[in-house]
Amino acid sequence: MRTPDATDVEDIARVHVEGWRETYAGQLPDSSFDADALARRRQMWTSILTSPPRSTRRVAVATSNGHIVGLALADEPRDAADRAAGVTQQLYALYLLSAHHGSGLGQRMLDAVIDDGPALLWVAKDNPRAQSFYRRNGFTLDGTEIIDDDVPTFVECRMVRS
């Protein structure tokens, strides 16, 4: 487990897209996992890892045999209502390549990017494994859902921890 830097962009982008493929194949269109998706993730991670540090942003990568196999990103919530309700941290991404599921790396990444305080995250409705993992970490579904405008069959559910 470590904090990444700009030299890790390519590997993080690759793991992010592969994590999406493993998690959402059949739920999202194939364009979510193609070369353009990889380019978008490179751009996203370049921006994150080269922008001035913020005390609220936490990024961690999991490694195995010297290779990045997972990533996690948390920051303050974007939504003012969430911040007003006392939620100070939001998990924006946590992906671990499936070959490493059950290894404890997912838990270590979560612990590296959020503390035990109030937090929220969005999880695919059709991702019971992730929902179970987050429930073990004190998160509960609060009934709030959003539907992707481009993929109306893809529903995300909000989970919160007080």
Side-chain angles (χ1 to χ4, degrees):
M1 192 69 46
R2 66 179 175 82
T3 301
D5 61 36
T7 64
D8 295 312
V9 165
E10 184 65 32
D11 291 334
I12 295 171
R14 179 189 48 76
V15 168
H16 201 161
V17 171
E18 185 58 29
W20 268 50
R21 181 187 334 273
E22 291 177 350
T23 304
Y24 305 123
Q27 296 180 52
L28 292 175
D30 289 344
S31 60
S32 301
F33 325 116
D34 65 11
D36 289 339
L38 181 59
R40 288 189 302 275
R41 293 297 174 202
R42 267 191 218 106
Q43 183 178 29
M44 173 190 148
W45 286 105
T46 297
S47 175
I48 290 168
L49 295 175
T50 62
S51 64
R54 292 197 317 247
S55 62
T56 57
R57 181 188 299 144
R58 295 181 184 156
V59 182
V61 292
T63 59
S64 178
N65 297 319
H67 299 286
I68 293 174
V69 297
L71 62 98
L73 169 65
D75 204 339
E76 64 185 357
R78 289 185 198 125
D79 189 282
D82 292 327
R83 290 190 306 274
V87 176
T88 57
Q89 49 194 344
Q90 180 170 344
L91 181 66
Y92 287 97
L94 194 152
Y95 293 97
L96 181 65
L97 296 180
S98 61
H100 301 277
H101 287 178
S103 67
L105 290 173
Q107 185 66 55
R108 290 179 56 206
M109 284 191 298
L110 181 67
D111 293 343
V113 298
I114 65 170
D115 61 31
D116 292 334
L120 71 91
L121 59 89
W122 290 88
V123 62
K125 188 172 189 172
D126 191 19
N127 192 344
R129 180 183 182 91
Q131 289 179 30
S132 176
F133 171 76
Y134 295 128
R135 276 194 301 277
R136 285 193 309 271
N137 282 277
F139 289 87
T140 59
L141 292 165
D142 75 353
T144 304
E145 296 182 351
I146 55 174
I147 298 171
D148 188 304
D149 291 336
D150 296 325
V151 187
T153 57
F154 191 74
V155 179
E156 290 182 275
C157 304
R158 185 169 64 184
M159 296 186 81
V160 296
R161 182 177 69 196
S162 299

